[in-house]
């Protein structure tokens, strides 16, 4: 077996952790340290691209050991010595997947060859030229007809038309209408001929594309059914069955190939008891995501959550809790709005978990309360809340017109700043559809996100968001093209701590009723 015994004398875990939400246990940190020589041997000291790796501690406190895995493939291989194998290795050179993949690639090549066939392209260009020529000729015929009608109408208004003139006008009108019909018919016949020449090519392309689509879908379905995932009780379910009840109804590409299902599958298949798991990034960060070398990260939700809920059903079963109503400090209260100081950990609006929120607490207290803007659940600080719908709309317009001044205070994980230094970060953001609630840097389709900053100390800074994207400040601090250092306590983009050290410390806006400039301040509790 691919067990790696290692020395460990620290506290032993009482139960398996939740890979979707965890702080690495000391035993996992020791296992990662022991695993690094194997990872370096596989990836090199300075790899061009980074990769996610995972360790799963098994065994007993008297004889600890770990399993080691990587997500996806390394150098186009799914298996390497010392690492657990894939749940299903479909990359065998002469295996059915590769053979069918080659057949689909051949269809791609045929489509590519046909779409670049000189004769096919010549017909397409000829038809395009004919269409332009037809448009010009038809427009001229229409213009001649309309001009002739206008001149005839003017002549009729002048009066004194002879019978021969009237007959000439009728003949001219009939001729121009007939000429327009003949022009249209002439070009339609020429276009029909070109369509007949194109038909064999189009029919062949349609047939190839249809066959390619069918074979690709069938291959993907075959692959998902080959991934038979075990759970702790020795039961099996395919990826197709596991994802059938999700919102999409089918597995995303790459499902079952991440570290977590690989490690658990190997452990269950060999009768090993999982104790603790941790996943860490090795190498440079991808440009789209926040990934730091040797930083631990939770499992992705789009690909892994449904699988892990099957494989670790007992571990991931949510514990019954009764929500606690936190106190909300009111900084200013008028008949039409409130300025409140939100504690960290409180939602701004109700979610789907039944947890209390700023909106639900204030509605219970005042009857009516309408959120104007939001703070992340993990962020503390100042919010303005309307007490009627009209005030909500008027305050929101100030945010939309960038008339509201917002200042946040943040504490970074490490000293990377020069006191007094200022700068601006502009990185477009979008939601990560396979790993919500994470956001990602998206240079193609992301929405503009701009943050001004000023360093107060080597780790403390002011942040002034000019846009209000989800997790904007957190990503702009953590991303390699931002400050390159996560905010302290950021469980999503950095290292989990007692709390996220991000606080909305100053909020300035106009009272919509009096136009008085109002400002509130709150000292960060860290």
């Amino acid at each position: 077996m691919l067990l790696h015994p290692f020395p460990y004398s620290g506290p032993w875990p009482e139960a398996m952790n939740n890979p979707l939400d965890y702080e690495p246990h000391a035993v996992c940190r020791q296992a990662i340290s022991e695993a690094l020589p194997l990872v370096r041997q596989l990836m090199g000291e300075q790899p061009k691209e980074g990769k996610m790796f995972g360790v799963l501690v098994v065994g007993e406190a008297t004889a600890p050991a770990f399993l080691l895995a990587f997500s996806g493939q390394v150098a186009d291989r799914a298996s390497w010595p010392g690492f657990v194998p894939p749940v299903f290795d479909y990359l065998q050179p002469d295996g059915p997947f590769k053979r069918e993949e080659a057949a689909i690639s051949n269809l791609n090549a045929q489509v590519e060859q046909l779409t670049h066939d000189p004769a096919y392209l010549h017909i397409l260009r000829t038809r395009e030229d004919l269409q332009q020529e037809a448009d010009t000729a038809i427009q001229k015929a229409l213009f001649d007809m309309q001009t002739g009608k206008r001149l005839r109408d003017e002549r009729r208004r002048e009066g004194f038309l002879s019978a021969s003139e009237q007959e000439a006008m009728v003949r001219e009108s009939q001729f121009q209408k007939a000429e327009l019909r003949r022009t249209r018919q002439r070009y339609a016949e020429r276009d029909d001929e070109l369509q007949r020449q194109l038909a064999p090519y189009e029919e062949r392309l349609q047939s190839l594309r249809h066959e390619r689509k069918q074979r690709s879908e069938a291959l993907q379905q075959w692959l998902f059914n080959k991934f038979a995932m075990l759970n702790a009780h020795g039961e099996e379910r395919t990826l197709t069955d596991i994802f059938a009840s999700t919102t999409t109804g089918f597995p995303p590409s790459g499902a079952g190939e991440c570290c977590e299902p690989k490690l658990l599958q190997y452990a269950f298949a060999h009768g090993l008891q999982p104790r603790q798991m941790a996943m860490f990034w090795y190498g440079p960060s991808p440009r789209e995501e926040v990934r730091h070398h040797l930083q631990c990260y939770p499992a992705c939700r789009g690909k892994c959550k449904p699988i892990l809920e099957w494989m670790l059903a007992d571990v991931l079963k949510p514990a019954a809790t009764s929500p606690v109503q936190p106190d909300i400090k009111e900084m200013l209260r008028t008949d039409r709005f409130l300025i409140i100081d939100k504690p960290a950990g409180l939602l701004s609006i109700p979610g789907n978990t039944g947890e209390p929120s700023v909106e639900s607490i204030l509605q219970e207290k005042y009857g009516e309360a309408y959120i104007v803007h939001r703070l992340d659940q993990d962020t503390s600080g100042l919010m303005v809340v309307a007490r009627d719908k009209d005030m909500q709309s008027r305050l929101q317009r100030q945010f939309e017109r960038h008339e509201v001044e917002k200042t946040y205070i943040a504490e970074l994980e490490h000293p990377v700043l020069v006191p007094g230094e200022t700068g601006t970060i502009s990185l477009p953001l979008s939601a990560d559809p396979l790993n919500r609630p994470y956001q990602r840097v998206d240079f193609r389709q992301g929405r503009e996100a701009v943050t001004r900053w000023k360093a107060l100390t080597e780790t403390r800074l002011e942040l002034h968001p000019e846009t209000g994207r989800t997790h904007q400040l957190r990503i702009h601090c953590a991303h390699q093209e931002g400050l390159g250092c996560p905010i302290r306590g950021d469980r999503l983009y950095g290292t989990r701590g007692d709390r996220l050290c991000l606080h909305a410390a100053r909020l300035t806006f106009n009272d919509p009723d009096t136009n008085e400039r109002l400002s509130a301040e709150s000292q960060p509790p860290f």
Side-chain angles (χ1 to χ4, degrees):
M1 287 195 292
L2 297 172
L3 284 172
H4 302 279
F6 67 105
Y8 178 72
S9 58
W12 190 247
E14 296 181 2
M16 177 64 187
N17 63 315
N18 178 355
L20 296 163
D21 184 13
Y22 69 96
E23 173 67 18
H25 190 279
V27 71
C28 281
R29 294 196 179 279
Q30 179 63 30
I32 290 172
S33 177
E34 298 288 333
L36 282 178
L38 275 172
V39 173
R40 291 193 190 99
Q41 182 179 344
L42 180 65
M43 297 288 289
E45 291 286 351
Q46 295 182 325
K48 293 181 179 180
E49 295 182 350
K51 173 66 66 175
M52 192 70 78
F53 289 82
V55 294
L56 175 63
V57 175
V58 296
E60 304 296 334
T62 54
F66 68 85
L67 300 170
L68 179 61
F70 52 81
S71 291
Q73 295 90 36
V74 174
D76 296 324
R77 283 177 53 181
S79 297
W80 286 93
F83 297 84
V84 300
V87 176
F88 174 67
D89 189 356
Y90 57 90
L91 296 179
Q92 296 300 321
D94 297 322
F97 182 89
K98 280 296 184 180
R99 291 197 301 270
E100 184 63 9
E101 187 180 53
I104 294 171
S105 295
N106 182 52
L107 291 173
N108 284 331
Q110 291 183 60
V111 169
E112 184 73 9
Q113 182 180 11
L114 195 54
T115 54
H116 288 84
D117 185 287
Y120 175 66
L121 293 176
H122 175 71
I123 299 171
L124 288 177
R125 284 193 294 267
T126 302
R127 193 178 181 208
E128 192 175 300
D129 293 342
L130 179 67
Q131 185 62 56
Q132 292 178 356
E133 182 183 327
D135 289 344
T136 301
I138 290 169
Q139 287 302 317
K140 182 180 182 304
L142 280 169
F143 177 78
D144 291 345
M145 188 174 70
Q146 291 164 355
T147 302
K149 184 180 185 304
R150 178 174 55 79
L151 293 174
R152 289 192 298 273
D153 289 344
E154 290 176 357
R155 179 69 185 91
R156 288 188 180 100
R157 283 192 293 271
E158 293 174 358
F160 308 109
L161 291 172
S162 66
S164 61
E165 272 189 289
Q166 291 179 6
E167 290 175 4
M169 285 184 180
V170 170
R171 285 196 301 272
E172 181 184 61
S173 175
Q174 291 173 341
F175 173 80
Q176 289 175 336
K177 289 178 180 177
E179 185 64 20
L180 176 61
R181 287 195 298 272
R182 284 192 293 269
T183 301
R184 284 175 168 159
Q185 180 64 28
R186 185 168 63 254
Y187 282 105
E189 290 173 355
R190 291 172 64 185
D191 188 64
D192 287 344
E193 175 57 31
L194 290 173
Q195 283 186 343
R196 282 192 289 273
Q197 295 176 30
L198 280 175
Y201 294 96
E202 299 291 357
E203 290 171 3
R204 179 60 177 157
L205 281 172
Q206 183 179 5
S207 174
L208 289 170
R209 287 168 175 156
H210 179 69
E211 182 182 357
R212 179 179 64 184
K213 182 175 183 292
Q214 283 192 319
R215 295 182 73 160
S216 294
E217 291 176 351
L219 180 60
Q220 194 70 73
Q221 188 64 50
W222 173 85
L223 181 62
F224 290 147
N225 286 331
K226 288 294 183 180
F227 277 78
M229 313 306 298
L230 291 166
N231 66 11
H233 307 293
E235 300 166 323
E236 284 187 347
R237 291 189 73 184
T238 68
L239 289 182
T240 302
D241 293 335
I242 289 173
F243 281 86
S245 59
T246 63
T247 54
T248 60
F250 56 86
S253 177
E257 298 183 57
C258 295
C259 303
E260 300 87 346
K262 281 185 179 182
L263 290 165
L264 292 169
Q265 184 84 356
Y266 189 88
F268 293 148
H270 292 83
L272 302 172
Q273 178 65 44
R275 299 298 182 183
Q276 284 284 299
M277 176 184 285
M279 285 63 65
F280 62 96
W281 184 262
Y282 185 90
S285 172
R287 202 177 182 205
E288 297 80 14
E289 298 176 275
V290 174
R291 293 285 184 263
H292 291 277
H293 184 56
L294 300 185
Q295 173 72 49
C296 289
Y297 293 94
C300 64
R301 293 182 172 269
K303 292 181 182 180
C304 288
K305 186 173 184 287
I307 300 173
L308 295 177
E309 286 175 339
W310 161 250
M311 301 184 86
L312 293 173
D314 297 334
V315 173
L316 300 185
K317 185 177 181 180
T321 58
S322 55
V324 178
Q325 292 279 83
D327 292 328
I328 297 178
K329 182 179 180 181
E330 295 182 9
M331 310 293 287
L332 175 67
R333 181 172 70 210
T334 73
D335 292 338
R336 304 204 64 193
F337 62 83
L338 305 163
I339 300 177
I340 60 105
D341 195 346
K342 183 185 87 70
L346 179 64
L347 292 166
S348 294
I349 61 173
N352 53 14
T353 60
E355 295 179 74
S357 66
V358 170
E359 185 177 75
S360 64
I361 293 172
L362 293 180
Q363 283 180 347
E364 184 176 338
K365 183 174 182 179
Y366 293 110
E368 286 190 293
Y370 301 93
I371 297 300
V372 174
H373 63 117
R374 305 181 195 179
L375 293 179
D376 290 343
Q377 181 176 10
D378 296 340
T379 303
S380 59
L382 298 171
M383 293 178 63
V384 57
V385 181
R387 299 183 67 180
D388 60 70
K389 294 290 288 183
D390 175 65
M391 179 56 65
Q392 181 191 38
S393 297
R394 294 168 71 185
L395 286 168
Q396 284 179 335
R397 281 197 292 272
Q398 291 191 44
F399 280 88
E400 292 166 0
R401 294 194 294 256
H402 303 288
E403 296 171 354
V404 179
E405 297 176 25
K406 297 171 286 183
T407 300
Y408 291 75
I409 300 296
E411 187 79 23
L412 302 183
E413 283 187 356
H414 310 294
V416 297
L417 304 172
V418 177
E421 186 179 7
T422 61
T424 300
I425 301 167
S426 179
L427 292 171
L429 303 178
S430 68
D432 186 340
L434 290 178
N435 201 16
R436 297 183 184 277
Y438 287 82
Q439 305 292 302
R440 62 184 179 182
V441 174
D442 185 345
F443 292 97
R444 289 182 297 177
Q445 298 179 327
R447 299 176 68 190
E448 180 187 33
V450 180
T451 303
R452 293 182 292 108
W453 59 272
K454 178 182 178 181
L456 304 177
T457 69
E458 291 181 334
T459 58
R460 203 173 186 87
L461 73 160
E462 286 185 356
L463 294 164
H464 303 273
E466 295 186 3
T467 51
R469 310 299 177 218
T470 302
H471 296 175
Q472 173 177 322
L473 301 181
R474 298 166 73 167
I475 294 182
H476 279 185
C477 287
H479 195 270
Q480 58 179 344
E481 295 183 32
L483 295 178
C485 184
I487 296 172
R488 185 180 299 278
D490 191 340
R491 61 189 175 90
L492 297 181
Y493 307 103
T495 304
R496 183 187 299 269
D498 294 335
R499 61 152 294 163
L500 174 69
C501 292
L502 178 62
H503 182 76
R506 191 180 305 117
L507 185 65
T508 304
F509 61 96
N510 292 332
D511 184 327
D513 288 331
T514 66
N515 207 35
E516 177 188 0
R517 194 70 172 163
L518 301 176
S519 186
E521 293 192 20
S522 168
Q523 292 300 313
F526 50 80

